[in-house]
């Protein structure tokens, strides 16, 4: 039987397990990607593991999130990251070189390879015929050390694209259509594989846009074939020798099926405050805006900026509009300057920012309170923009440009102009100066790590206790994101290398008193949290598990989990369990005390067991979904302890 592209990628990297959906498999990882908001902890974990030199084919550390230097914390950590990449044999992308995902695509991505990144949007590089997945930082550290990456075998969701995008509709509208149909849980436990004749009109960077926001569907990965378009892109980048054809076999099948007629799509927009809250632009047309923001890993291509420049060329944005341009790579920015597009943007009233993530992660460009912000970013979770009471809409560059000119949300088809035709440069700039290559093994061994005053070691974590009495410190609803568990932004992320400090911000968006309440219980009982569906959606930041763990979180009881956060909870010894009977969620109240007895034996004996609610005469049936390997990790108190135990057993 013929194989689809996803099955080919998994089969060629399978180290353990069987390709049966839902079963745990171990995969060989060829490449890794870390960024500075998560990579600092990864480098500390590599140091704790005693890694000598990276075992992957290529691993890269990007500095793209924490670029604002209001004090010494960020630059100190940049020096640490630079020294760590030299010590462990990694590429180092300096500040200003650009966002990790498009830069990796330009310089390192290879068809047929696996890529694991400590950023949930690592899936963007699936546009290159790769199996590219986001994960927690410690999983990436393990991959750099040569260990397999363990994940539940996903179902493969085949999405056939037919037709061709009409004028004023672009790749962002394709992924927004997927979110309109399936919301933020639609891709859980699945790899989305796009195929069909509609691919012929989508560039490699268009595919990046679509693959990037597969994370917003909760998908394990998004995969495109490696065809002649990928070959063209690599040739442009001076890397044609890295191309290989990788397409589905004749007669390949998929576990699930979908079809999108590109010709029938229209401009779409995601309303606050979820990427799944999608409507047509016409449905919200006329709403006033304060900001129109273009850039991010979700729209990182040359055409995404050039089309905006052409739309606003010779015009002025509406009075009072903050028109923010966030370039995504230095290489692409150079070409936009050469072609005159930056001049067009500036003359129209744009504010030009440095190449990096910037406002997407709340690092600058925060909107005014109570005003609408239009963004080409991938997420609009509450507070992610840097403004606590924000109102962020997600849209295409075309919609962002049209709305900036009018001062209100505007369907770009209503503009009195022809749709601009943008052509990429035939000979694009190849920016290599800010991507430092790894040192040789001999050179790397001579390097010492540079640690600034803000870096603190990871505290030791105790083993899982046999008996627990833990109060429910928070009871939350559905779709709680990691941005709500531990915010990003300029206030919080500079403490990413200092766990005691960053933990002070845990759950503050939900309950500003959480830290104080948790600290009182930290050395006594610890505590639990309860939540609804899709708990932990969004960013892969492991600090959203580490910080609550540091504060004494022992159990997360929810209706179901987002994949990466579930894995992060396991990695740091927080027991993730779900309700066997979802109606039991309604029986629990905040401050109820959950009683777990003989816990170590119960999780080994089966996946379901009962817990009691103190003083209520109530029993709740719960379920864990841990593999045998993960049960062993949980008993030992997390992955770090598990690794240390393995190392000690080999001494």
């Amino acid at each position: 039987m013929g194989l689809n592209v996803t099955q080919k990628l998994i089969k060629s990297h399978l180290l353990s397990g069987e390709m049966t959906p839902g079963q745990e498999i171990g995969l060989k990882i060829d490449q890794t990607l870390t960024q500075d908001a998560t990579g600092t902890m990864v480098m500390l974990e590599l140091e704790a593991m005693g890694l000598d030199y990276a075992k992957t084919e290529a691993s890269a550390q990007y500095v793209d999130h924490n670029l604002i230097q209001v004090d010494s914390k960020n630059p100190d950590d940049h020096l640490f990251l630079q020294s760590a990449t030299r010590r462990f044999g990694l590429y180092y992308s300096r500040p200003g070189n650009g966002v990790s995902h498009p830069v990796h695509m330009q310089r390192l991505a290879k068809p047929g390879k696996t890529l694991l990144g400590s950023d949930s949007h690592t899936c963007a590089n699936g546009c290159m015929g790769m199996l590219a997945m986001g994960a927690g930082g410690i999983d990436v550290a393990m991959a750099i050390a040569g260990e397999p990456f363990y994940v539940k075998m996903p179902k493969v969701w085949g999405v056939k694209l037919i037709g061709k995008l009409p004028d004023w509709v672009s790749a962002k509208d394709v992924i927004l259509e997927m979110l309109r149909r399936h919301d933020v849980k639609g891709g859980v436990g699945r790899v989305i594989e796009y195929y069909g004749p509609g691919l012929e009109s989508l560039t490699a960077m268009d595919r990046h846009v679509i693959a990037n926001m597969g994370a917003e569907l909760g998908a394990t990965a998004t995969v495109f074939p490696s065809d002649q378009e990928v070959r063209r892109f690599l040739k442009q980048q001076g890397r044609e020798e890295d191309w290989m054809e990788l397409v589905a076999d004749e007669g390949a099948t998929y576990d699930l099926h979908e079809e999108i007629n590109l010709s029938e799509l229209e401009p779409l927009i995601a309303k606050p405050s979820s990427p799944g809250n999608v409507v047509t632009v016409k449905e919200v047309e006329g709403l006033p805006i304060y900001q129109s923001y273009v850039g991010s890993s979700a729209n990182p291509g040359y055409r995404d900026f050039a089309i905006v420049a052409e739309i606003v060329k010779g015009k002025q944005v509406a009075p009072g509009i903050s028109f923010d341009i966030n370039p995504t790579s230095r290489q692409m920015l150079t070409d936009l300057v050469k072609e005159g597009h930056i001049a067009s943007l500036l003359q129209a009233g744009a504010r030009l920012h440095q190449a990096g993530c910037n406002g997407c992660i709340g690092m600058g460009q925060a909107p005014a309170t109570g005003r609408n912000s239009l963004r080409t970013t991938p997420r609009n979770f509450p507070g992610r923009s840097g403004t606590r009471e924000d109102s962020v809409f997600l849209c295409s560059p075309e919609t962002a440009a049209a709305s900036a000119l009018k001062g209100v949300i505007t369907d770009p088809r209503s503009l009195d102009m022809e749709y601009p035709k943008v052509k990429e440069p035939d000979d694009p700039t190849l920016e290599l100066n800010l991507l430092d290559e790894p040192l040789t093994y001999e050179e790397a061994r001579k390097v010492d790590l540079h640690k600034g005053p803000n870096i603190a070691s990871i505290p030791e974590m105790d083993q899982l206790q046999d008996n627990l009495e833990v109060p429910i410190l928070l009871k939350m609803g559905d779709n709680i994101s990691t941005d709500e568990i531990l915010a990003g932004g300029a206030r919080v992320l500079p403490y990413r290398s200092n766990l005691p400090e960053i933990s002070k911000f845990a759950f503050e968006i939900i309950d500003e008193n959480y830290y104080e309440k948790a600290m009182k219980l930290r050395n006594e009982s610890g505590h639990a949290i309860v939540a609804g569906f899709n708990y932990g959606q969004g960013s892969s930041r492991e600090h959203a598990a580490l910080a609550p763990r540091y504060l004494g979180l022992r159990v997360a009881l929810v209706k179901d989990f987002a994949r990466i956060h579930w894995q992060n909870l396991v990695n740091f010894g927080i027991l993730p369990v779900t309700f066997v009977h979802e109606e039991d969620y309604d029986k629990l109240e905040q401050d109820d005390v959950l009683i777990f007895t003989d816990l170590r034996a119960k999780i080994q004996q089966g996946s379901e067991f009962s817990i009691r609610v103190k003083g209520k005469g109530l029993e709740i049936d719960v379920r864990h979904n841990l593999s045998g390997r993960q049960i062993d990790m949980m008993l030992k108190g997390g992955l770090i302890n598990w690794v240390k135990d393995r190392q000690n057993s080999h001494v």
Side-chain angles (χ1 to χ4, degrees):
M1 187 173 67
L3 299 178
N4 56 52
V5 177
T6 303
Q7 291 166 337
K8 288 184 177 184
L9 286 163
I10 292 175
K11 185 177 181 180
S12 63
H13 291 83
L14 191 66
L15 296 177
S16 66
E18 297 181 357
M19 292 171 58
T20 303
Q23 297 300 307
E24 184 180 79
I25 55 174
L27 296 173
K28 178 184 182 293
I29 298 300
D30 301 315
Q31 299 186 354
T32 67
L33 172 160
T34 49
Q35 38 90 336
D36 47 322
T38 57
T40 315
M41 194 63 69
V42 172
M43 299 306 143
L44 290 171
E45 288 159 353
L46 293 178
E47 181 191 28
M49 291 176 191
L51 178 71
D52 203 23
Y53 196 80
K55 304 293 194 298
T56 45
E57 295 177 14
S59 287
Q61 168 66 56
Y62 297 88
V63 178
D64 58 3
H65 280 59
N66 294 296
L67 300 176
I68 297 176
Q69 297 179 202
V70 295
D71 58 26
S72 64
K73 295 185 190 72
N74 283 341
D76 280 351
D77 281 359
H78 298 165
L79 288 176
F80 167 69
L81 288 171
Q82 187 174 37
S83 71
T85 57
R86 290 168 61 81
R87 173 63 191 86
F88 299 126
L90 278 64
Y91 287 88
Y92 178 68
S93 180
R94 300 185 219 169
N97 196 35
V99 179
S100 60
H101 312 299
V103 175
H104 198 93
M105 178 184 172
Q106 291 165 341
R107 304 276 29 103
L108 294 173
K110 290 185 181 182
K113 301 294 184 180
T114 51
L115 169 65
L116 193 69
S118 61
D119 186 292
S120 55
H121 291 115
T122 301
C123 54
N125 273 267
C127 67
M128 296 294 287
M130 302 182 76
L131 183 65
M133 300 168 286
I138 198 165
D139 286 313
V140 179
M142 294 288 284
I144 294 171
E147 295 288 333
F149 174 60
Y150 294 96
V151 66
K152 295 281 195 298
M153 175 65 194
K155 293 182 178 180
V156 185
W157 181 6
V159 179
K160 184 177 182 179
L161 301 179
I162 61 173
K164 185 178 179 180
L165 291 172
D167 290 350
W168 301 105
V169 178
S170 58
K172 188 63 162 280
D173 298 304
V174 178
I175 190 61
L176 288 175
E177 172 65 15
M178 285 288 286
L179 282 156
R180 177 164 72 160
R181 294 183 185 187
H182 303 288
D183 210 342
V184 292
K185 283 186 59 182
V188 173
R190 303 173 180 179
V191 169
I192 306 170
E193 182 174 322
Y194 292 91
Y195 69 102
L199 288 180
E200 293 177 10
S201 62
L202 296 177
T203 67
M205 200 58 85
D206 288 335
R207 300 173 190 188
H208 180 117
V209 172
I210 296 168
N212 175 282
M213 287 183 64
E216 273 49 74
L217 284 156
T220 303
T222 296
V223 167
F224 282 84
S226 174
D227 54 13
Q228 290 301 316
E229 169 54 27
V230 175
R231 184 177 192 173
R232 181 200 67 81
F233 176 83
L234 285 171
K235 184 177 181 179
Q236 269 196 332
Q237 301 299 319
R239 297 201 295 123
E240 189 176 7
E241 71 278 3
D242 288 337
W243 181 77
M244 62 170 281
E245 185 175 56
L246 185 63
V247 298
D249 290 334
E250 192 80 29
T253 60
Y254 298 91
D255 298 308
L256 304 107
H257 301 270
E258 186 96 12
E259 182 172 290
I260 295 177
N261 187 339
L262 301 178
S263 305
E264 296 176 352
L265 296 184
E266 60 180 302
L268 298 172
I269 194 167
K271 299 193 299 181
S273 290
S274 170
N277 193 14
V278 177
V279 298
T280 64
V281 173
K282 288 195 93 50
E283 290 178 64
V284 290
E285 198 167 25
L287 286 177
I289 65 170
Y290 162 82
Q291 181 183 57
S292 181
Y293 170 118
V294 177
S296 89
S297 65
N299 277 105
Y302 175 89
R303 64 84 50 201
D304 293 326
F305 295 89
I307 194 79
V308 171
E310 288 296 304
I311 291 170
V312 303
K313 187 175 182 178
K315 307 177 182 71
Q316 284 287 307
V317 300
I321 298 300
S322 181
F323 185 34
D324 291 272
I325 304 298
N326 284 256
T328 45
S329 79
R330 188 183 185 92
Q331 174 177 311
M332 181 269 302
L333 176 58
T334 302
D335 287 332
L336 289 170
V337 171
K338 285 181 180 179
E339 299 296 322
H341 293 306
I342 293 299
S344 296
L345 291 165
L346 293 176
Q347 289 165 2
R351 304 169 65 185
L352 182 65
H353 304 284
Q354 63 182 309
C357 296
N358 305 324
C360 177
I361 191 64
M363 283 287 179
Q365 295 91 66
T369 304
R371 303 296 179 90
N372 295 323
S373 170
L374 260 62
R375 299 183 166 217
T376 66
T377 58
R379 288 181 178 143
N380 58 347
F381 299 141
R384 180 179 170 88
S385 68
T387 298
R388 185 162 184 168
E389 303 297 332
D390 59 9
S391 177
V392 173
F393 294 74
L394 306 178
C395 64
S396 70
E398 289 88 341
T399 298
S403 302
L405 290 174
K406 298 296 186 181
V408 297
I409 295 178
T410 301
D411 187 323
R413 296 173 298 182
S414 68
L415 293 179
D416 186 21
M417 63 182 294
E418 288 188 11
Y419 186 54
K421 302 301 181 186
V422 171
K423 184 175 181 294
E424 294 182 1
D426 293 326
D427 188 21
T429 300
L430 301 183
E431 180 59 73
L432 308 176
N433 296 331
L434 295 187
L435 184 65
D436 299 338
E437 296 213 357
L439 296 182
T440 66
Y441 176 76
E442 291 73 19
E443 292 170 328
R445 295 193 68 182
K446 300 173 185 176
V447 175
D448 293 323
L449 295 180
H450 177 93
K451 290 187 178 181
N454 191 44
I455 290 182
S457 298
I458 303 170
E460 288 192 11
M461 299 186 185
D462 58 347
Q463 296 188 355
L464 181 68
Q465 297 174 21
D466 209 22
N467 299 297
L468 290 172
E469 288 195 16
V470 285
I472 300 171
L473 220 51
L474 292 175
K475 184 180 180 185
M476 298 166 280
D478 297 339
N479 298 319
I480 298 298
S481 74
T482 48
D483 280 281
E484 293 166 279
I485 299 170
L486 190 72
R491 217 168 41 93
V492 180
L493 287 184
Y495 295 105
R496 65 203 172 279
S497 55
N498 191 324
L499 185 57
E501 286 299 315
I502 204 169
S503 69
K504 294 177 181 177
F505 302 96
F507 287 111
E508 64 170 3
I509 291 175
I510 295 168
D511 182 353
E512 60 186 15
N513 297 315
Y514 170 81
Y515 174 77
E516 287 76 15
K517 292 189 291 187
M519 283 297 285
K520 289 178 182 177
L521 297 168
R522 179 171 175 254
N523 296 319
E524 298 172 11
S525 62
H527 66 278
I529 62 93
V530 168
F533 291 112
N534 203 27
Y535 178 72
Q537 69 165 332
S539 167
S540 66
R541 68 190 71 149
E542 63 187 358
H543 295 79
L546 256 175
R549 174 70 161 98
Y550 173 78
L551 295 175
L553 178 62
R554 305 312 304 253
V555 178
L557 172 57
V558 306
K559 292 183 180 178
D560 66 18
F561 292 94
R563 175 185 66 87
I564 299 176
H565 188 64
W566 173 80
Q567 182 65 67
N568 284 340
L569 293 173
V570 176
N571 286 344
F572 294 106
I574 299 170
L575 181 64
V577 287
T578 56
F579 293 96
V580 173
H581 311 291
E582 289 174 3
E583 60 270 21
D584 284 343
Y585 167 88
D586 297 318
K587 300 175 184 176
L588 294 177
E589 298 176 20
Q590 193 158 302
D591 298 324
D592 279 347
V593 176
L594 305 179
I595 300 175
F596 296 76
T597 57
D598 301 321
L599 183 55
R600 293 174 67 88
K602 284 178 178 176
I603 65 171
Q604 295 177 80
Q605 290 166 357
S607 61
E608 295 185 9
F609 58 94
S610 296
I611 62 175
R612 291 185 293 119
V613 183
K614 192 172 184 178
K616 281 194 168 182
L618 179 64
E619 283 201 354
I620 301 288
D621 294 328
V622 300
R623 177 188 296 116
H624 73 76
N625 197 26
L626 304 172
S627 68
R629 180 185 60 87
Q630 290 169 325
I631 289 171
D632 193 30
M633 281 169 44
M634 185 62 59
L635 294 175
K636 289 181 170 63
L639 184 54
I640 293 176
N641 292 350
W642 185 78
V643 170
K644 287 180 180 177
D645 187 67
R646 286 180 66 199
Q647 289 175 336
N648 291 337
S649 66
H650 294 150
V651 174

